[in-house]
Amino acid sequence: MATESRVALVTGGIGGIGTAICQRLAQTGHRVVACYYPPEKDLAEAWQAARAAEGLDIPIIGADVSSFEDSARMIGEVKGQYGPVEILVNCAGITRDKTFKRMDEGSWAAVISTNLNSAFNVTRPIWDDMLERGFGRIINISSVNGQRGQFGQTNYSAAKAGLHGFTMALAQEGAAKGITVNTISPGYVETAMTAAMRDDVREAIIATVPMRRMAKPEEIAAVVGFLAADDAAYITGANIPINGGLFIH
Ligand code: CAA
């Protein structure tokens, strides 16, 4: 079955994994819109120019996905310009790593609202249209650290584990309506997020990965492309690990 060209929205679209996802979906023929965090407008414009130089026409739109109002406003604008979102990739995420002893309320709240509440904020305004059209693909980008926990990431692990809870529940509500909802749980990926870790900590973690390397963003994007395709219609509520063997269960 051929995959049709669909409207795809990627939050965190200009980030390390998000960029590869946007490229992949655009190369597949979808009309991709990349959502970025508004203070990063200059970065987003440079990103868009870089994509254009690759031959990819990818519109960008700013929104603070930790805000329901701003997310709803953004979804309304995307719908007005390109039509209802049919493929949604919830990829926006941040880290505020610190041991729990040092974990402050601000670092907890920032990660929970950006990494978890965002899934509600962005998906809710899209959901009714997906129900009405009888088609939808929702792909939530979680993390191996939501599956196994990680020293220094109580906030991040909680948010990422919560994201898969969201997937499992929403998958049941979408199943009879043509909407699939799945999670992808990447391990450590070559992005600015992992580059920001202390070198010794990062190297120690890579040494524990059976494949002895980090993932390339394209290795995550390939699975997003697979789940977004029309052919993946019978996969829902799944959590697909892409972690080089770091966590096998
Ligand atoms: N298990 C048990 N003990 C550990 C440990 C671990 N994994 N890591 C560190 N410790 C111990 C240390 O040995 C040290 O012990 P002593 O006090 O007895 O010497 C103590 O805990 C403090 O460790 P640090 O020196 O690391 O503490 P710090 O305050 O300098 O740094 C931290 C804390 C910033 C959280 C740092 O430990 C860290 O960066 N950890 C890794 C967090 C991580 O994996 N982040 C992933 C970011 S990328 C991402 O999130 C993408 C994704 O989805 C995978």
Side-chain angles (χ1 to χ4, degrees):
M1 182 171 49
T3 288
E4 290 181 30
S5 175
R6 300 192 181 279
V7 176
L9 175 69
V10 181
T11 71
I14 70 166
I17 297 177
T19 297
I21 292 172
C22 287
Q23 289 168 323
R24 179 78 182 204
L25 294 176
Q27 284 157 358
T28 312
H30 297 301
R31 163 45 92 194
V32 181
V33 180
C35 173
Y36 66 90
Y37 183 48
E40 297 179 346
K41 186 165 190 279
D42 291 350
L43 268 179
E45 285 171 356
W47 180 95
Q48 187 179 29
R51 300 292 80 73
E54 295 167 358
L56 299 175
D57 169 25
I58 304 183
I60 53 174
I61 186 160
D64 177 357
V65 294
S66 71
S67 152
F68 181 75
E69 288 71 26
D70 205 33
S71 300
R73 188 260 321 148
M74 180 263 296
I75 299 301
E77 286 180 21
V78 170
K79 182 176 173 179
Q81 268 193 284
Y82 308 104
V85 173
E86 298 166 288
I87 299 169
L88 168 63
V89 186
N90 284 312
C91 186
I94 59 169
T95 51
R96 294 286 183 275
D97 294 355
K98 43 194 79 165
T99 56
F100 193 61
K101 191 173 165 55
R102 293 194 181 142
M103 186 64 67
D104 53 290
E105 200 273 338
S107 299
W108 175 267
V111 169
I112 298 295
S113 62
T114 303
N115 298 14
L116 178 59
N117 293 349
S118 60
F120 171 79
N121 296 339
V122 178
T123 309
R124 184 65 194 88
I126 287 173
W127 185 248
D128 293 0
D129 281 329
M130 287 188 170
L131 287 174
E132 199 172 300
R133 295 165 75 85
F135 180 90
R137 294 280 184 271
I138 298 172
I139 299 157
N140 297 316
I141 306 300
S142 178
S143 165
V144 66
N145 292 341
Q147 298 181 285
R148 61 165 199 167
Q150 168 61 41
F151 184 101
Q153 288 199 307
T154 47
N155 49 1
Y156 187 89
S157 297
K160 293 298 193 178
L163 206 47
H164 186 54
F166 174 70
T167 289
M168 292 190 291
L170 195 60
Q172 296 185 32
E173 296 193 23
K177 313 286 182 187
I179 306 168
T180 68
V181 189
N182 290 290
T183 299
I184 290 176
S185 289
Y188 285 72
V189 185
E190 288 171 6
T191 62
M193 187 181 272
T194 52
M197 296 170 69
R198 237 170 53 205
D199 290 347
D200 60 319
V201 175
R202 187 180 54 252
E203 293 311 318
I205 289 175
I206 295 170
T208 67
V209 178
M211 288 192 191
R212 300 285 187 268
R213 67 170 178 89
M214 291 202 273
K216 297 193 180 310
E218 294 73 22
E219 292 174 307
I220 313 305
V223 181
V224 173
F226 169 73
L227 288 174
D230 290 7
D231 309 34
Y234 206 59
I235 305 174
T236 198
N239 186 359
I240 302 190
I242 311 178
N243 62 34
L246 179 58
F247 180 66
I248 297 174
H249 74 125

